[in-house]
Amino acid sequence: MPSPHVSPVAPEAPLRPPEHRPSAALLGVPAVCSALLLILVAAKWRPLTGLDRDIASAFHRWAVDEPGLTQTARILTDWVWDPWTMRLLCGAVALLLWYRYAARWTAVWLVVTCAVGAMVQQVLKAAVGRARPVWPDPVDTAHYAAFPSGHAMTAALTCGLLLWLLRRHGVGRALWGWAVALAVLSVTGVGLTRVWLGVHWPTDVLGGWLLGLVTVAVAVRVHGHRRS
């Protein structure tokens, strides 16, 4: 008796590593906080502007009294944590993903996310038009509008994206610990230097951190949908 014809079964595609997508809460909470802060800053809510002024004045007095720390802060903010330093770092990682790992979609996604973050930052600066602090004895200068802090947002965006990429590629525990510590130091440090140097209000920095986190969360979800 002839054996029944059996259609060949295509082999299953290999499993991909799971996408680490942010939950709705992880995306929603910073988005709501960011929107609320934006509204209060744009409305010039007096309790908030008063608190900004008090904190910024205290930092400025310390900066004037400690020229050594001020010079260190200037070097860190102008070179180590400068937005263009962060963008160049992302560009180098994108090249590595493209040529070393053939992860071309992820490389393009990384570059586009950084570009979108920079565009959002500039649009909000122009829309809010917040003036920077003015001191009789400034220790540093900066241009363009104050809110949000470009340094803070770019650092949060860059460190968040790179940490997600490291996590996604399953790095070892020791490397992951060092990466998290360096990211926290960079994001926190750049925010403190901007207030210390008297070129930003504290809420400019907070707004930059929140917007950077929101951008990372949205980008990760976009990456996950594209992979799906």
Side-chain angles (χ1 to χ4, degrees), residues 160-207:
L161 292 173
L162 297 184
L163 283 177
W164 181 80
L165 286 170
L166 285 174
R167 187 74 169 179
R168 181 170 176 268
H169 283 82
V171 297
R173 182 175 299 178
L175 178 57
W176 173 251
W178 280 107
V180 170
L182 184 59
V184 171
L185 174 64
S186 298
V187 173
T188 305
V190 73
L192 291 176
T193 61
R194 302 311 286 166
V195 180
W196 181 275
L197 294 172
V199 294
H200 273 295
W201 304 106
T203 48
D204 299 337
V205 171
L206 178 59

Side-chain angles (χ1 to χ4, degrees), residues 120-130 145 147-148:
V120 169
Q121 170 199 132
Q122 293 303 319
V123 168
L124 286 176
K125 280 180 179 289
V128 177
R130 190 184 201 186
F147 185 91

Side-chain angles (χ1 to χ4, degrees), residues 54-117:
D54 291 342
I55 297 174
S57 297
F59 269 78
H60 181 67
R61 288 195 301 270
W62 298 334
V64 172
D65 293 340
E66 300 290 343
L69 286 177
T70 300
Q71 181 60 24
T72 301
R74 190 178 293 114
I75 293 171
L76 289 172
T77 198
D78 289 343
W79 295 98
V80 180
W81 295 323
D82 183 77
W84 281 108
T85 303
M86 295 290 176
R87 290 166 190 152
L88 288 173
L89 176 60
C90 282
V93 173
L95 289 175
L96 182 67
L97 289 168
W98 184 285
Y99 291 107
R100 175 66 177 83
Y101 296 102
R104 296 183 176 179
W105 153 247
T106 302
V108 172
W109 166 85
L110 179 60
V111 172
V112 170
T113 301
C114 291
V116 169

Side-chain angles (χ1 to χ4, degrees), residues 3 9 64 80 92 96 134 138 175 177 182 185 207-208 210 218 220 226:
S3 60
V9 178
V64 172
V80 180
L96 182 67
V134 177
L175 178 57
L182 184 59
L185 174 64
L210 289 171
V218 172
V220 169
R226 172 64 172 75

